[in-house]
Amino acid sequence: MPSLRNTGRQARLLLRSMSTLTRTSVGVLCLILLLLLVGPSLSPYSYSAPVGDVWEGMSWQHPLGTDVLGRDMLTRIMKGGRLTVMLAFLATLLGFLLGTFFGFMSALVGRWVDILLSRIVEIIMAFPSLILALIVLALIDVSKGILIVIIAVLDSTRVYRLSRSLAQDIVVMPYVETARLRGEKLGWLMRREILPNVLPPMLAEFGLRFGFAILFLSALSFLGLGIQPPEADWGSMVKENALSLPVALVPAAAIALTTICVNIIVDWLLARAARVRSATPEV
Amino acid sequence: MGQPNKDNDLVLDIAGLSIVSLHQHGAQPLLKGLTLRLRRGEILGLIGESGAGKSTLGLAALGYQRTGCKYDKGVVRFDNLLLHSGDEKTLSSLRGVRMAYVAQSAAAAFNPVHRLGAQITEAARCQAALSRREAERRMVSLFRRFDLPEPERFGDRFPHQASGGQLQRAMIVMAMLCEPQLIVFDEPTTALDVTTQIEVLATIKRNIRAHSATSALYITHDLAVVAQVADRIMVLKDGMLVEENDTKALLTKPQRPYTKELLSVYQVGRKRGGGKKKGRGVLLRGEGLDASYGDGARILEDVSFGVSEYEVLGVVGESGSGKSTLARVVTGLLPSREGSLWLGGEVLPRRLKRRSKEQLRRVQLVSQIPDTALNPRQKIGEALGRPLSYFFPQRTQAERERRLGELLSSCELDSRLTNAFPAELSGGQKQRVCIARALAAEPDIIVCDEITSALDRLIAKGIVNLMLELQEKLGMAYIFISHDLGLVRAISDDMMVMQGGKILSYGAASGIEKSEDAYTQKLLRSVPQMRVGWLDEVLQKRG
């Protein structure tokens, strides 16, 4: 199939346009995701039952040692990472859907809709997001769904600002006016006229926010307001093992490695989007 | 350095010059072995369409290449100095003192936060060519010669305190301050209105031509303009010379077909299609229209007009006349504050949102810049297909496909373009797609807002002819908005002249000469004519 071959060639070209650092990051991130996906089912140990002594060092049986209750660290890292990455991804996705929708709407409709939405967003942004999340989580029972929604809403404020300012440059273009003259509805204007034109910077922002969401979720769990035992994510694992620094560093390193890789890839995406934009002739 | 030049009169001697532009995919030639000689006191016109290499040549004459461009081979000799191999220090000691450049947009070339006087005398002071006092003295005397207001104090103004035409003249003052041997004019009047253009042209003509020590290269795409100032004209195309001759000979006896084409760009006309289709009643009518942006000043004041079926209403005005605002009011993009619109007997709501789908379909807009009128991320097939499926949902897929093919062929576009993105098309092709998109709605009236002004003259002529053919075939009406009075007069039935949001004269296009309005008369006189001596006549009449 020619389209498949084309995709393959494009992927090769894309890889070649990256620096070694970016390529390494892509490789490491893929490896992490693969481990999270299949790792837990390949592991001989249960993630919840003790299999050895408390805080055993690294060994062939337990490559990353054991944790505060003597559970296998590697298995828990893989299992907990699955939860961290999945929740962060869903939260970012929801945040983007919300932020982009309202951002585009603000730019398209303008007037009081824009004023109202922008003021609401500013009010939310006026609170430090961690403190706001802590207040909300202290008031209601924590569940994964609630966690996703809270992170998504806090994230969406940043997405709103970005998508609104990007869309404001697009809505004044004659091609959007032409579509309006045709009588096109808001949905078409958002999906077909604006979205394709702002996709590269939005994708880069998605990566960035995903990295932040991992950190945010980990922070909440570390403070005990995120994922609750018996379930575990990277943040709560840092907390459990906080009394032994070397052990606590293992989940912390997982958090750092993942977010750094994501950030490097985002940097490359952003630079690429900027190059594409400066290469298009100015009118 | 080569042998001293025997011809002492030769200021600029360019031989076999080639310049390439650097791309990811290798070098592309911009100039292909061009030869040019400029004698003392001579004005040489360089004419061609975009991409002809005329600006590249003009900058090369100053020993400069834009970023992305690279010198390939050939010789640029300026008064026995070799510029193409000169080091940057020597070159910059020449620039502004012995040679100078006048850019297209003076408004963009002046730094908005510095006073004009400081900017005008800057080069002379930096090169220590003149003392500060001497530079200022000369500047004031040039201001006076150029008819700038308050010559003693004009230099104290900031750029925003001067008009576009004044800035362009100030830039010529800057170029002439050190009495250079060579001035390169790069489209100095293209961004100006016709009435302002005359003032700048007159300044150039009076002062450069009278000044025998200064030679000039005059770059433009408008043959009628260059014919007024140049002694000799070189016609360029794709980086090569097409024809070179004395101005008069070139205008009266062009040798090459391309030159003849360039000469014919003003000759657009319309076969008046007899009376049978015409006069079937008023299609679109506007009465007492007032409009403004936000709470600002009124852009349109009490504008009334009527367009019959199969009629072309021409709207002429200079920048700021409100002609584009009229297009926005008619299409509903900007609701008018006062007044009303009727479409075929029924009231056309002022707001876009209130208009029915049928009303939206019947009034279509084609806008000025085709690059921004097409969504860069939509293929041509989608841009044209959407109005088809939107306005005619009852049609089958096969019918729409057929209609799409019809639209492309009637706008003289290749049917394979449906899979192309706008960036793959030329400017003329993009404008044709925009026209096809308007036609897809099968409108009764198309509002054409400066549809030719972003295009080269030859391409613009093709677009206008296409519009006229389409009207012949399909019989819709046009509101044709343009700053080009000659063009509007040639193709309109009725026309109106606007200034400051008001209609100054309105009537049959054939009778516009008889208008009693002074501004209309001034505008009529200001349209460049393709013959030597037109400018002199205009200036003489003014006295």
Side-chain angles (χ1 to χ4, degrees):
Chain A
M1 254 173 70
S3 67
L4 244 176
R5 204 179 309 150
N6 248 339
T7 319
R9 207 186 52 199
Q10 275 179 352
R12 264 202 306 283
L13 276 176
L14 213 60
L15 270 178
R16 212 172 300 159
S17 72
M18 297 175 187
S19 67
T20 319
L21 184 64
T22 317
R23 233 173 291 161
T24 316
S25 305
V26 172
V28 172
L29 193 66
C30 287
L31 197 70
I32 292 174
L33 291 179
L34 190 74
L35 271 179
L36 299 187
L37 204 67
V38 299
S41 37
L42 293 183
S43 165
Y45 306 111
S46 151
Y47 87 101
S48 51
V51 288
D53 268 349
V54 171
W55 290 335
E56 264 181 43
M58 294 179 186
S59 65
W60 283 112
Q61 281 82 36
H62 305 293
L64 294 178
T66 58
D67 76 345
V68 67
L69 295 177
R71 298 171 291 199
D72 180 55
M73 198 58 158
L74 181 61
T75 311
R76 283 180 69 78
I77 285 281
M78 294 191 291
K79 183 86 177 174
R82 208 190 248 187
L83 198 59
T84 300
V85 170
M86 195 183 69
L87 287 186
F89 182 79
L90 287 177
T92 317
L93 194 67
L94 183 63
F96 259 73
L97 289 178
L98 284 172
T100 313
F101 176 80
F102 287 114
F104 285 180
M105 192 158 93
S106 257
L108 273 169
V109 182
R111 293 164 190 271
W112 63 269
V113 175
D114 183 30
I115 294 171
L116 185 74
L117 284 171
S118 294
R119 291 305 91 77
I120 293 174
V121 163
E122 276 159 22
I123 290 169
I124 298 178
M125 284 179 100
F127 292 96
S129 42
L130 193 58
I131 293 179
L132 196 62
L134 290 179
I135 295 171
V136 175
L137 288 173
L139 292 178
I140 47 179
D141 287 340
V142 184
S143 73
K144 280 180 219 157
I146 293 284
L147 270 177
I148 290 176
V149 170
I150 287 173
I151 298 175
V153 168
L154 290 173
D155 243 12
S156 69
T157 55
R158 269 86 182 172
V159 180
Y160 168 87
R161 303 266 291 209
L162 177 76
S163 62
R164 174 175 168 271
S165 76
L166 287 171
Q168 273 176 336
D169 290 341
I170 306 281
V171 293
V172 293
M173 298 300 267
Y175 57 81
V176 179
E177 286 186 345
T178 307
R180 282 186 201 240
L181 278 180
R182 202 157 54 218
E184 297 285 5
K185 300 286 177 300
L186 221 52
W188 170 277
L189 293 175
M190 286 181 182
R191 273 185 305 114
R192 303 293 317 154
E193 305 289 343
I194 299 178
L195 187 62
N197 286 295
V198 300
L199 214 49
M202 293 294 285
L203 273 180
E205 180 73 6
F206 186 90
L208 196 64
R209 306 278 12 139
F210 173 61
F212 278 121
I214 292 178
L215 288 177
F216 196 73
L217 181 67
S218 302
L220 285 179
S221 295
F222 177 76
L223 294 172
L225 285 160
I227 298 298
Q228 304 297 324
E231 281 192 291
D233 71 340
W234 287 344
S236 62
M237 286 165 69
V238 177
K239 182 190 173 213
E240 289 166 359
N241 300 294
L243 291 174
S244 163
L245 188 64
V247 181
L249 279 181
V250 174
I255 296 170
L257 193 64
T258 312
T259 46
I260 289 171
C261 283
V262 167
N263 266 299
I264 290 171
I265 297 169
V266 165
D267 274 348
W268 169 77
L269 267 176
L270 273 174
R272 197 162 162 269
R275 256 206 314 282
V276 169
R277 214 172 313 144
S278 65
T280 41
E282 294 291 315
V283 179
Chain B
M1 193 143 293
Q3 286 181 329
N5 211 315
K6 279 176 202 153
D7 191 351
N8 275 334
D9 258 4
L10 219 51
V11 175
L12 184 69
D13 184 2
I14 295 177
L17 179 67
S18 294
I19 287 177
V20 293
S21 78
L22 301 173
H23 277 284
Q24 296 169 301
H25 316 292
Q28 238 174 354
L30 290 176
L31 291 183
K32 301 167 190 164
L34 257 159
T35 295
L36 177 156
R37 296 175 147 219
L38 185 66
R39 280 187 298 276
R40 193 176 304 278
E42 186 183 35
I43 301 184
L44 173 62
L46 296 177
I47 179 150
E49 308 201 285
S50 39
K54 47 194 197 304
S55 287
T56 312
L57 180 58
L59 290 170
L62 306 174
Y64 182 78
Q65 268 92 46
R66 266 184 289 213
T67 27
C69 299
K70 199 174 152 288
Y71 167 81
D72 186 26
K73 56 176 186 283
V75 179
V76 181
R77 194 196 302 270
F78 168 73
D79 202 25
N80 282 334
L81 287 163
L82 289 177
L83 293 190
H84 61 273
S85 56
D87 62 300
E88 203 47 44
K89 208 175 155 197
T90 326
L91 288 174
S92 52
S93 74
L94 293 174
R95 292 182 191 139
V97 181
R98 292 180 60 193
M99 47 199 210
Y101 179 75
V102 176
Q104 171 168 358
S105 173
F110 278 113
N111 188 332
V113 299
H114 293 293
R115 291 177 198 279
L116 285 172
Q119 298 188 58
I120 288 170
T121 56
E122 185 183 7
R125 286 184 286 118
C126 287
Q127 304 295 340
L130 299 172
S131 70
R132 187 194 175 97
R133 179 172 293 189
E134 173 65 9
E136 276 169 7
R137 195 189 58 76
R138 282 202 203 180
M139 178 177 79
V140 170
S141 83
L142 281 170
F143 282 161
R144 192 167 288 125
R145 257 167 64 193
F146 284 16
D147 291 325
L148 286 163
E150 302 180 280
E152 306 286 342
R153 303 213 330 258
F154 188 77
D156 294 336
R157 294 194 187 184
F158 286 101
H160 69 267
Q161 292 167 319
S163 71
Q166 287 169 353
L167 284 178
Q168 200 71 48
R169 278 180 281 167
M171 193 146 181
I172 300 173
V173 169
M174 172 153 68
M176 288 186 66
L177 198 67
C178 297
E179 299 182 345
Q181 287 156 285
L182 171 68
I183 302 182
V184 175
F185 292 96
D186 195 353
E187 304 259 16
T189 64
T190 307
L192 303 175
D193 286 325
V194 280
T195 51
T196 324
Q197 167 169 285
I198 289 230
E199 291 161 22
V200 175
L201 278 179
T203 307
I204 293 173
K205 182 149 180 144
R206 280 200 197 114
N207 294 289
I208 312 276
R209 289 199 69 165
H211 209 277
S212 60
T214 302
S215 320
L217 287 181
Y218 194 103
I219 298 166
T220 178
H221 67 280
D222 193 337
L223 200 45
V225 163
V226 80
Q228 310 311 318
V229 289
D231 303 295
R232 200 152 51 92
I233 293 177
M234 284 172 76
V235 181
L236 303 181
K237 190 180 187 236
D238 302 328
M240 285 189 289
L241 180 70
V242 176
E243 187 170 352
E244 178 177 1
N245 213 336
D246 287 341
T247 301
K248 205 164 191 174
L250 190 99
L251 289 190
T252 48
K253 291 195 257 336
Q255 302 296 315
R256 308 296 291 270
Y258 182 70
T259 315
K260 286 177 190 162
E261 268 187 78
L262 283 182
L263 276 166
S264 73
V265 292
Y266 283 111
Q267 296 159 11
V268 275
R270 182 168 171 226
K271 292 170 275 171
R272 308 270 163 179
K276 64 173 167 69
K277 282 182 179 172
K278 241 175 93 176
R280 279 192 301 188
V282 177
L283 180 68
L284 179 78
R285 193 155 61 87
E287 214 148 90
L289 294 170
D290 270 25
S292 59
Y293 291 100
D295 297 324
R298 282 201 291 181
I299 313 288
L300 279 189
E301 283 189 61
D302 195 22
V303 170
S304 305
F305 65 92
V307 192
S308 305
E309 289 170 32
Y310 191 63
E311 188 191 47
V312 180
L313 171 66
V315 181
V316 184
E318 299 189 305
S319 37
S321 64
K323 56 190 193 304
S324 287
T325 307
L326 180 62
R328 298 178 74 81
V329 166
V330 169
T331 51
L333 282 170
L334 178 74
S336 63
R337 295 197 136 185
E338 305 264 330
S340 15
L341 286 162
W342 287 270
L343 180 66
E346 59 183 36
V347 172
L348 189 62
R350 287 185 279 186
R351 285 182 188 286
L352 198 57
K353 287 237 158 89
R354 298 268 167 76
R355 296 189 182 180
S356 70
K357 203 168 174 179
E358 183 65 7
Q359 285 168 333
L360 292 173
R361 181 188 68 74
R362 292 174 69 186
V363 182
Q364 290 290 314
L365 173 74
V366 180
S367 58
Q368 177 171 5
I369 303 166
D371 301 276
T372 54
L374 293 171
N375 190 331
R377 312 290 300 184
Q378 279 179 12
K379 289 183 176 172
I380 303 306
E382 189 180 354
L384 294 179
R386 179 61 186 176
L388 289 176
S389 56
Y390 185 83
F391 288 120
F392 309 104
Q394 70 280 12
R395 290 189 192 164
T396 63
Q397 188 62 30
E399 273 178 314
R400 280 184 212 147
E401 297 273 330
R402 195 179 46 76
R403 182 85 183 104
L404 184 65
E406 272 175 24
L407 283 171
L408 286 169
S409 69
S410 65
C411 290
E412 294 154 29
L413 288 162
D414 196 319
S415 58
R416 282 168 296 185
L417 286 180
T418 46
N419 274 321
F421 282 105
E424 300 165 47
L425 272 61
S426 71
Q429 281 177 319
K430 280 182 219 168
Q431 195 59 291
R432 282 166 197 271
V433 172
C434 292
I435 294 169
R437 181 173 59 186
L439 288 179
E442 298 175 17
D444 294 335
I445 183 162
I446 300 181
V447 181
C448 309
D449 185 9
E450 296 266 18
I451 57 169
T452 58
S453 40
L455 302 171
D456 276 326
R457 293 244 173 204
L458 277 178
I459 293 160
K461 187 186 171 189
I463 294 281
V464 170
N465 283 334
L466 172 71
M467 297 297 289
L468 296 178
E469 275 167 34
L470 288 169
Q471 192 193 31
E472 197 73 20
K473 214 160 57 186
L474 305 168
M476 60 254 166
Y478 294 144
I479 295 181
F480 198 94
I481 298 169
S482 174
H483 66 282
D484 187 340
L485 190 140
L487 174 66
V488 169
R489 185 165 53 160
I491 66 167
S492 306
D493 296 300
D494 279 353
M495 65 183 281
M496 59 194 212
V497 177
M498 293 185 67
Q499 191 195 22
K502 294 195 190 90
I503 299 179
L504 294 186
S505 53
Y506 183 17
S510 49
I512 191 77
E513 288 88 350
K514 296 186 201 99
S515 165
E516 283 168 11
D517 177 63
Y519 176 76
T520 307
Q521 287 299 337
K522 186 181 174 196
L523 210 56
L524 273 167
R525 278 200 305 275
S526 306
V527 177
Q529 290 174 15
M530 191 78 83
R531 61 193 168 85
V532 182
W534 158 77
L535 182 65
D536 296 319
E537 281 169 33
V538 176
L539 295 176
Q540 230 164 30
K541 260 184 209 161
R542 272 202 207 164

